[in-house]
Amino acid sequence: MPSKSSDLKLKNVLFLYKTSSGYLPFFAYIIPLVGFIFLIKYYISTRYHHFVSYLYEYFLSFLFAFVLVLILIPLCIKIARHFNIQDSSGGAKKHLVATPLLGGIGIFSAFLIVALFYQPWTAQMTAIVIASGIIVVMGTIDDIKPLSSVIRLFGQLLAAGIVMSVGMKVSFFPPTWWGECLSVLLTSIWILGIVNATNFADGADGLATGFAVIAGIFFFLISLHLDQFGILLISSILIGAGLGFLVFNFKPAKIYLGDGGSTFLGFMLACLSLYGGWSRWNPMIAAGIPVMILSVLIFDMIYITISRIRNNHVHNFKEWLDYRGHDHYHHRLMHLGFKEDAAVIFIYSTSIVMGLSALVIANARNSFPVVVLVIQAIMIFINITILMLIGRKKSPDVPKK
């Protein structure tokens, strides 16, 4: 009978990687990642070779943010432990030990420090920094001492108002008083929806951060295509900070984003989608790009809202904000038998598929590709909904007060 040492050597030779799901081929993780990186490299080198030297500046902002987070997060862990700002064991994330919650402070600090090197700021950049600071402070206070949903909502609306004051609004409506009112209303709903959807997604190690990195990559690529230089800077910093944080946040997580971090990432994604002039001549393309990139968050938000209302778990908006349950996309996958890290990687792959669809939309010359890809996305999410309903039968929702 082979000894344990010989068995371990064999696994090393076969490049097997130990996860909570058991031993999996190392290449099962590496090959898709390498393929995705080469796809991005090919896309940039063939379409934007004249920008390669210019992209060096954005690579530096990415690298600076990445290194800063690697330096700041261990400090955040120590501070969180010293002041006992931690998510207790057995909480919503089902971890075994108390885990620090101040990841958002490290990510926001890195973002702010790197952004300070790119002065002078535009009015939009200034508004984003101020508003995101409000989001982080509000979320961090909530991590230390839980705030009421009304106070959290007020802070998010204040932040939304700041970015709208510099013109970052949905612009599909005519320039009339009622068009302006509809624009403000829809923009507020969009920002609040993405912020809270990202916060809700932060229920598995590395999920919210990894999704923000993937979305940031596609915002970067499409902004490169459309010469949206403000978005290139913000998204490059966000990608670097997010990847740096994933070193500490992927399973098993040493630190969590906390509400301060998850709402910050959601707010940045919402701002990136509003900052970009995705199409000046076709509103379907302009709407299709950010909706497709963030479709996983949008789908999860729509699904849980319908499910909770239908099953009488919530009866008003305040209850909806306060409700904490295990009925999200990642929970349903785990109910089906996925291990946590496998569920996270599954959602990553879904996000990449949707992002690739957004790339196609960005290069569309008419509305037809948009319609086809939206129908395709709807069919994908219908299939996912079926899986989630099966997952619900395996583990019915229990309202949490």
Side-chain angles (χ1 to χ4, degrees):
M1 179 179 290
S3 65
K4 288 185 178 179
S5 60
S6 63
D7 185 52
L8 181 60
K9 289 179 181 178
L10 178 61
K11 287 171 180 174
N12 288 335
V13 170
L14 294 175
F15 297 99
L16 296 184
Y17 178 60
K18 182 69 167 64
T19 71
S20 61
S21 307
Y23 282 100
L24 290 176
F26 185 66
F27 292 123
Y29 288 89
I30 293 301
I31 289 178
L33 178 61
V34 171
F36 183 50
I37 292 172
F38 270 97
L39 176 65
I40 293 173
K41 181 179 180 297
Y42 176 79
Y43 184 82
I44 292 176
S45 61
T46 55
R47 297 182 64 89
Y48 308 107
H49 58 277
H50 53 292
F51 276 139
V52 170
S53 60
Y54 189 67
L55 287 172
Y56 180 70
E57 184 177 352
Y58 296 114
F59 174 73
L60 288 180
S61 65
F62 157 83
L63 189 61
F64 192 11
F66 179 81
V67 172
L68 271 177
V69 168
L70 293 181
I71 295 170
L72 291 171
I73 291 302
L75 179 61
C76 292
I77 292 174
K78 290 182 179 179
I79 294 172
R81 285 179 176 161
H82 179 76
F83 292 101
N84 195 31
I85 308 172
Q86 303 184 100
D87 191 9
S88 59
S89 60
K93 296 182 178 65
K94 297 184 178 180
H95 48 285
L96 300 177
V97 296
T99 307
L101 283 171
L102 293 182
I105 294 294
I107 292 179
F108 176 72
S109 299
F111 171 79
L112 183 60
I113 291 170
V114 177
L116 286 172
F117 281 84
Y118 292 87
Q119 298 279 4
W121 289 343
T122 62
Q124 289 83 359
M125 185 66 172
T126 303
I128 289 172
V129 170
I130 294 172
S132 62
I134 293 172
I135 291 288
V136 172
V137 170
M138 188 75 67
T140 303
I141 293 173
D142 189 48
D143 289 327
I144 298 170
K145 185 176 181 179
L147 299 172
S148 72
S149 56
V150 175
I151 294 176
R152 297 198 307 269
L153 181 64
F154 175 79
Q156 292 170 12
L157 284 173
L158 177 61
I162 291 173
V163 296
M164 283 191 285
S165 69
V166 294
M168 293 175 61
K169 291 180 288 191
V170 174
S171 55
F172 303 145
F173 303 105
T176 61
W177 68 268
W178 59 267
E180 182 66 17
C181 290
L182 287 175
S183 178
V184 169
L185 177 62
L186 187 57
T187 304
S188 300
I189 293 172
W190 174 260
I191 292 175
L192 293 180
I194 299 301
V195 166
N196 287 285
T198 309
N199 187 26
F200 294 159
D202 189 32
D205 292 355
L207 178 55
T209 310
F211 175 84
V213 169
I214 292 168
I217 289 171
F218 284 107
F219 277 127
F220 183 91
L221 292 175
I222 295 172
S223 300
L224 188 64
H225 171 66
L226 300 173
D227 296 337
Q228 301 281 340
F229 297 109
I231 299 179
L232 289 173
L233 174 61
I234 295 173
S235 56
S236 64
I237 299 174
L238 188 66
I239 295 165
L243 283 176
F245 186 70
L246 272 178
V247 173
F248 303 92
N249 186 235
F250 201 78
K251 190 174 182 66
K254 300 177 181 65
I255 185 172
Y256 292 142
L257 285 167
D259 281 357
S262 59
T263 52
F264 168 72
L265 290 179
F267 185 76
M268 295 305 295
L269 293 177
C271 287
L272 285 173
S273 65
L274 293 169
Y275 198 169
W278 306 115
S279 177
R280 296 176 182 175
W281 55 274
N282 192 323
M284 290 191 67
I285 293 176
I289 290 172
V291 167
M292 199 65 72
I293 292 174
L294 302 178
S295 58
V296 170
L297 291 180
I298 297 169
F299 161 73
D300 188 54
M301 179 69 76
I302 293 172
Y303 173 85
I304 63 167
T305 299
I306 294 173
S307 176
R308 291 172 183 181
I309 293 173
R310 183 175 180 273
N311 293 291
N312 294 318
H313 292 166
V314 298
H315 302 90
N316 54 57
F317 186 64
K318 186 178 186 302
E319 287 185 2
W320 180 83
L321 285 173
D322 290 334
Y323 187 93
R324 294 293 181 268
H326 290 165
D327 54 349
H328 291 280
Y329 186 4
H330 54 282
H331 293 130
R332 295 303 191 210
L333 291 175
M334 288 187 276
H335 295 161
L336 286 169
F338 282 72
K339 296 296 184 181
E340 184 177 349
D341 50 358
V344 169
I345 292 171
F346 186 91
I347 296 173
Y348 285 175
S349 66
T350 308
S351 305
I352 291 172
V353 169
M354 295 298 128
L356 292 172
S357 297
L359 274 180
V360 175
I361 291 175
N363 289 276
R365 293 291 178 266
N366 54 60
S367 300
F368 180 74
V370 183
V371 174
V372 171
L373 289 169
V374 168
I375 293 173
Q376 174 184 273
I378 291 172
M379 296 306 299
I380 289 172
F381 285 121
I382 286 174
N383 290 331
I384 292 173
T385 300
I386 294 171
L387 290 176
M388 293 175 74
L389 291 174
I390 295 172
R392 184 178 187 273
K393 291 180 180 179
K394 292 180 176 292
S395 182
D397 305 332
V398 178
K400 294 182 178 297
K401 302 296 183 184

